[in-house]
Amino acid sequence: MSHPSMPGFRIMPMPAPIRQDIIERFQSIVTPHISDNMQRLCGVIGLKSYHRQKKLVGRAVTVKVRPGDNLMIHKALDMAEPGDVIVVDGGGELSQALVGELMQMHAQVRGVAGFVIDGAVRDVAAFYAADFPCFARGNTHRGPFKEGPGEINVPVAIGGLVIAAGDLIVGDEDGLVAVPAEQLENLLVAATAQAQREQQRKEAILAGLDKRGWIDTYLKQKGVIA
């Protein structure tokens, strides 16, 4: 729906669902392996986690808000389906929090998988206590306004990455990545293969069998004499 007299108030349709088996398989894929197989260009920069250790995997429901205002985040929470991730472009503004404990509780009750907030959060202790996945740019005790404008399920920019509604969000100790829906299956194959290769490397390292000759070969190509 839209309001013709008030630009910036838009709610676009919900994105296509992501198959549950794909979401479950990404639970065991670490973000570095996803990032490496997306040419190391597709990660979110500058956000930190506000929970203990629970992994974040789910479909993005995107929200663009005026800095310091969370009206449309509330609406997105009402629209979200179990397993979704609320991804908010708050312009990186840290003067007022966009979500806190009450919204975290609403999200948890609805089965929302977590928050990604390019802005501030508050009630940090509650997020840690619940281990509710939340990545944000910062925190403050100052609360938000609820006036709008804002838009839901439009492309947003989060930490240098454009995220579309329906992208798969994956977050862990190393950070956040977003994978477009059409790339999911190919990326699963590539990231799984990388994990297998690295497991072989780790076993070789522990056995003292890891081959290091590539270092001197590369240096010689650069004209370095060891």
Side-chain angles (χ1 to χ4, degrees):
M1 72 178 187
S2 62
H3 195 307
S5 64
M6 301 185 73
F9 273 108
R10 284 194 303 165
I11 299 177
M12 307 303 288
M14 290 291 282
I18 297 173
R19 293 201 332 255
Q20 187 60 33
D21 66 299
I22 289 180
I23 291 175
E24 290 173 358
R25 289 172 66 191
F26 269 98
Q27 290 283 353
S28 62
I29 304 291
V30 297
T31 56
H33 291 168
I34 299 172
S35 178
D36 284 355
N37 287 283
M38 297 181 77
Q39 307 305 314
R40 302 173 181 175
L41 290 174
C42 296
V44 173
I45 304 299
L47 273 59
K48 59 183 180 180
S49 62
Y50 282 88
H51 60 287
R52 294 196 304 276
Q53 62 181 15
K54 189 174 181 180
K55 188 162 185 173
L56 177 60
V57 181
R59 179 184 69 167
V61 173
T62 59
V63 190
K64 185 173 179 62
V65 300
R66 177 171 65 90
D69 190 288
N70 73 358
L71 173 65
M72 296 302 262
I73 305 175
H74 278 280
K75 179 60 179 175
L77 274 177
D78 289 345
M79 295 171 58
E81 298 172 2
D84 284 343
V85 179
I86 305 295
V87 179
V88 181
D89 178 356
E93 175 60 48
L94 300 180
S95 62
Q96 287 166 293
L98 293 174
V99 299
E101 182 177 15
L102 297 181
M103 294 184 76
Q104 177 265 312
M105 292 176 67
H106 279 299
Q108 199 160 20
V109 166
R110 291 190 58 83
V112 168
F115 291 141
V116 174
I117 310 288
D118 197 351
V121 299
R122 71 175 185 176
D123 304 323
V124 171
F127 282 93
Y128 280 106
D131 199 19
F132 181 81
C134 178
F135 292 82
R137 191 162 294 278
N139 59 278
T140 179
H141 54 80
R142 294 175 58 180
F145 296 103
K146 295 174 173 59
E147 301 168 357
E151 299 184 324
I152 296 175
N153 287 329
V154 298
V156 295
I158 308 290
L161 179 66
V162 175
I163 299 176
D167 287 357
L168 183 70
I169 304 298
V170 183
D172 60 18
E173 299 89 344
D174 286 305
L176 284 161
V177 292
V179 184
E182 66 274 11
Q183 298 178 19
L184 288 172
E185 298 205 41
N186 288 340
L187 193 56
L188 263 176
V189 172
T192 300
Q194 179 168 342
Q196 293 171 344
R197 291 194 303 272
E198 290 199 5
Q199 180 59 35
Q200 293 170 347
R201 284 286 308 280
K202 287 186 281 188
E203 292 172 1
I205 290 169
L206 290 175
L209 300 174
D210 190 44
K211 297 178 181 179
R212 308 291 287 167
W214 65 269
I215 300 171
D216 287 341
T217 298
Y218 183 82
L219 290 174
K220 287 177 181 178
Q221 292 174 353
K222 295 295 182 180
V224 178
I225 306 299

